[in-house]
């Protein structure tokens, strides 16, 4: 459970790698709560998250750290009314949060710690890294501000940890909404998992890939925008930085959301790892009207479709006048060019007898064919077997077919679900069955990755809108497993994605 009261905690040291559990000095209030994979010194390493438990009922103001509670007159009782907040300038007497001589490690800060008017912590550009760490926790009771400015605004602090809300259940009605703006941050965390809705804008600045460059965001019904920093340059009073990186290219952003949310990273070069989570939505697809033509192509049987196909379950029952042939490769073609050869694990042959005619027949099943769309499939070794048994649903009749590009609009949705916009950096989007309907823009083939987790079975096909991924419902019997249109992802404007690189089954 988080702290019973709101607080603001400042720390001046991060050793050795800027992670929350190593804020110094020894004995500093506040613990950790798990970790996520992040970047430390340019290497993917687990980064501890804050437990937001620093409040101890007493304010501390020292030369290298300070803890300010947001209860009137420093009251520590959990039932104390939040009628205001301490005045940091009154505590330190000179507009600085630490009790120490003025200097690069104790710069002046525009510090308004009254949540009724929004919490604001601002350092001048020249003092970037002058106060290294700040942690803010605002309970539901503190989130009463309803003005035009954000509930929390923090600028030019290197490591920023913020928790907004302490319960999704409120006596006053719906869960709390809060907005936050963090500018020119190198690393940190926004925990809004116990907040109803979050509106967050975060911009990034880094003095290099050394130490930590990871920012973590957790929220429900979120609107998250990532922006480049605007640190104006010039020598800082502390470390002489001249070339801080503002474009986010050194930053790893880990996002976990739920509900109908939006995520927009188009303006930054950050590496992102996004789990959109469960939301609402329904995706519909038009499946019918796909024609085909079957012919012999030398020793191969060739099936050509009127539209490009990205996945097909093709079941053929063929009369077998002689011995079972040795099947050769099953190959997929597009515009006369080989796209890929199907893994033999997805090709099954069974010798059978037609129960109506007593005729010996060969059942050939080709399943989960393509990582890219195709228009023709050839099966070597079947060219001399003659026509398939017509009673089996018509000649070369697929059991099911997921098609790609055909005239008209193939997909649509009910307008709900999450909207995600990838940035120019490497973006990873994670999904499991039940995450419902999302739309992803700016997905870059060969760079970004769609991860389908928990052994999710999915069908992948192309439409005029782009690639669509639909999960197979795990609740249907094995002989009727079509798609669950309540769960789908549309990658707008993207085609020819490859299984194993662009799309990964984890």
């Amino acid at each position: 459970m988080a702290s019973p009261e709101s607080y603001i905690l400042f720390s001046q040291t991060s050793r050795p790698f800027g992670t929350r559990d190593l804020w110094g000095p020894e004995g500093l209030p506040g613990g950790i709560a798990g970790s996520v994979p992040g970047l430390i010194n340019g290497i993917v390493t687990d980064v501890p998250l804050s437990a937001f438990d620093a409040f101890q009922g007493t304010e501390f103001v020292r030369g290298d750290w300070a803890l300010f509670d947001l209860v009137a007159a420093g009251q520590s009782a959990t039932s104390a009314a939040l009628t205001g907040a301490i005045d940091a300038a009154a505590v330190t007497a000179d507009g600085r949060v630490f009790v120490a001589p003025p200097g690069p490690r104790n710069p002046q800060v525009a510090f308004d710690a009254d949540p009724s008017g929004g919490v604001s912590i601002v350092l001048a550009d020249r003092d970037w890294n002058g106060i290294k760490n700040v942690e803010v926790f605002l309970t539901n009771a503190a989130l009463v501000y309803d003005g035009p400015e954000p509930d929390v605004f923090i600028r030019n602090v290197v490591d920023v940890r913020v928790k907004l809300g302490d319960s999704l259940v409120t006596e006053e009605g719906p869960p709390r909404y809060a907005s936050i703006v963090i500018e020119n941050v190198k690393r940190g965390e926004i925990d809004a998992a116990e907040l109803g809705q979050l509106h967050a804008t975060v911009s990034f600045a880094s003095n290099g890939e050394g130490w930590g460059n990871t920012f973590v965001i957790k929220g429900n019904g979120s609107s998250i925008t990532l922006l480049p920093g605007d640190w104006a340059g010039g020598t800082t009073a502390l470390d002489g930085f001249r070339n801080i990186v503002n474009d986010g290219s050194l930053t790893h952003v880990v996002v976990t959301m739920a509900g109908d949310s939006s995520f927009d990273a188009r303006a930054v070069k950050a590496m992102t790892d996004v789990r959109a989570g469960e939301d609402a939505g329904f995706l519909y697809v038009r499946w019918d009207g796909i024609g085909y033509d079957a012919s012999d192509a030398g020793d191969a049987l060739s099936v050509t479709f009127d539209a490009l196909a990205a996945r097909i379950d093709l079941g053929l029952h063929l009369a077998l006048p002689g011995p079972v042939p040795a099947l050769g490769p099953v190959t997929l073609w597009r515009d006369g060019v080989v796209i890929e050869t199907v893994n033999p694990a997805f090709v099954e042959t069974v010798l059978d007898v037609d129960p109506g005619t007593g005729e010996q027949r060969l059942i050939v099943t080709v399943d989960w064919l393509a990582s890219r769309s195709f228009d023709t499939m050839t099966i070597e070794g079947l060219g001399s077997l003659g026509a398939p048994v017509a009673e089996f649903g018509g000649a070369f009749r697929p059991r099911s077919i997921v098609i790609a590009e055909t005239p008209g609009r193939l997909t649509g949705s009910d307008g709900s679900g999450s909207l995600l916009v990838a940035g120019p950096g490497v973006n990873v989007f994670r999904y499991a069955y039940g995450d419902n309907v999302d739309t992803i823009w700016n997905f870059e083939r060969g760079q970004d990755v769609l991860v389908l987790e928990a052994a999710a079975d999915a069908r992948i096909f192309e439409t005029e809108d782009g690639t669509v991924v639909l999960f197979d419902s795990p609740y249907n019997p094995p002989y009727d497993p079509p798609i669950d249109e309540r769960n789908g992802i549309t990658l707008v404007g993207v085609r020819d994605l490859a299984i194993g690189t662009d799309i990964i089954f984890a």
Side-chain angles (χ1 to χ4, degrees):
M1 178 62 185
S3 297
E5 303 295 356
S6 304
Y7 64 83
I8 298 177
L9 169 67
F10 292 93
S11 169
Q12 193 49 272
T13 57
S14 296
R15 61 174 191 265
F17 303 122
T19 53
R20 174 60 181 83
D21 62 325
L22 296 173
W23 284 9
E26 185 177 355
L28 181 74
I32 63 173
S35 62
V36 297
L39 288 179
I40 297 179
N41 289 341
I43 300 173
V44 176
T45 307
D46 283 345
V47 176
L49 302 175
S50 175
F52 296 97
D53 55 2
F55 182 77
Q56 296 183 351
T58 304
E59 293 177 351
F60 299 92
V61 181
R62 297 183 13 165
D64 52 2
W65 57 275
L67 173 63
F68 303 132
D69 73 63
L70 299 186
V71 179
Q75 300 173 53
S76 59
T78 58
S79 60
L82 286 171
T83 58
I86 58 93
D87 182 347
V91 174
T92 61
D94 60 359
R96 304 170 194 271
V97 298
F98 303 120
V99 177
R105 292 290 183 188
N106 191 21
Q108 287 190 323
V109 53
F111 179 20
D112 183 353
D114 186 349
S116 65
V119 171
S120 179
I121 302 168
V122 178
L123 298 181
D125 278 10
R126 67 177 180 275
D127 294 322
W128 189 91
N129 204 35
I131 296 178
K132 190 176 293 291
N133 315 308
V134 64
E135 181 170 292
V136 179
F137 173 37
L138 298 181
T139 63
N140 284 9
L143 291 171
V144 296
Y145 176 64
D146 194 28
E149 302 300 324
D151 295 87
V152 177
F153 179 79
I154 301 175
R155 178 176 172 83
N156 286 334
V157 180
V158 169
D159 191 328
V160 176
R161 313 281 168 136
V162 179
K163 180 170 177 60
L164 298 172
D166 59 338
S167 175
L168 289 172
V169 179
T170 65
E171 296 180 357
E172 298 80 8
R176 294 289 192 200
Y177 162 90
S179 61
I180 180 171
V181 175
I182 301 176
E183 296 181 346
N184 298 337
V185 67
K186 180 171 181 177
R187 56 181 170 268
E189 177 183 1
I190 299 173
D191 183 347
E194 295 180 277
L195 187 74
Q197 290 184 309
L198 169 70
H199 188 284
T201 300
V202 184
S203 70
F204 301 102
S206 176
N207 57 327
E209 67 177 22
W211 294 41
N213 277 281
T214 299
F215 202 91
V216 180
I217 306 175
K218 296 184 290 185
N220 305 300
S222 304
S223 173
I224 297 171
T225 303
L226 308 183
L227 296 175
D230 65 349
W231 188 82
T235 303
T236 68
L238 178 60
D239 296 305
F241 301 132
R242 292 182 180 274
N243 298 307
I244 288 182
V245 177
N246 286 326
D247 63 7
S249 58
L250 300 177
T251 308
H252 183 217
V253 183
V254 181
V255 177
T256 303
M257 302 183 294
D260 289 353
S261 299
S262 66
F263 172 80
D264 189 346
R266 78 184 77 178
V268 296
K269 297 180 180 179
M271 177 191 305
T272 70
D273 191 323
V274 180
R275 184 184 301 276
E278 295 184 5
D279 53 33
F282 190 92
L283 191 68
Y284 56 84
V285 183
R286 190 176 70 228
W287 304 98
D288 300 330
I290 304 304
Y292 55 86
D293 180 50
S295 62
D296 291 342
D299 189 41
L301 179 68
S302 175
V303 183
T304 302
F305 302 97
D306 289 347
L308 299 175
R311 183 191 190 275
I312 186 172
D313 289 333
L314 183 65
L316 306 176
H317 286 202
L318 299 108
L320 191 62
V324 177
L327 296 186
V330 177
T331 306
L332 307 178
W333 304 72
R334 182 172 183 174
D335 297 327
V337 177
V338 173
I339 296 298
E340 68 177 70
T341 300
V342 178
N343 189 309
F346 300 134
V347 180
E348 181 182 9
T349 59
V350 177
L351 188 62
D352 193 13
V353 174
D354 186 289
T357 65
E359 188 175 27
Q360 183 174 251
R361 62 186 182 181
L362 181 67
I363 302 175
V364 179
T365 300
V366 183
D367 187 29
W368 193 249
L369 291 179
S371 61
R372 292 183 291 169
S373 60
F374 63 99
D375 52 37
T376 303
M377 178 182 67
T378 59
I379 307 176
E380 294 186 22
L382 291 183
S384 61
L385 289 184
V389 177
E391 285 79 0
F392 182 61
F396 300 98
R397 181 76 175 177
R399 288 201 304 261
S400 65
I401 179 170
V402 180
I403 46 85
E405 297 164 327
T406 63
R409 184 176 180 85
L410 287 177
T411 62
S413 72
D414 64 354
S416 58
S418 295
L419 171 64
L420 314 176
V421 183
V426 176
N427 303 272
V428 178
F429 299 98
R430 300 182 185 275
Y431 285 89
Y433 180 83
D435 284 349
N436 299 104
V437 173
D438 286 355
T439 302
I440 300 176
W441 288 79
N442 293 352
F443 188 94
E444 183 70 26
R445 180 167 56 92
Q447 171 181 283
D448 299 333
V449 181
L450 181 69
V451 179
L452 306 179
E453 295 182 334
D457 194 8
R459 302 193 182 190
I460 303 165
F461 59 99
E462 296 178 359
T463 75
E464 65 178 7
D465 297 324
T467 298
V468 175
V469 178
L470 292 179
F471 289 105
D472 281 344
S473 171
Y475 307 111
N476 289 333
Y479 298 106
D480 182 25
I483 52 151
D484 184 348
E485 293 177 334
R486 295 169 298 174
N487 289 269
I489 307 156
T490 300
L491 303 167
V492 176
V494 184
R495 297 177 178 83
D496 295 329
L497 297 178
I499 302 296
T501 53
D502 301 312
I503 300 176
I504 296 176
F505 286 83

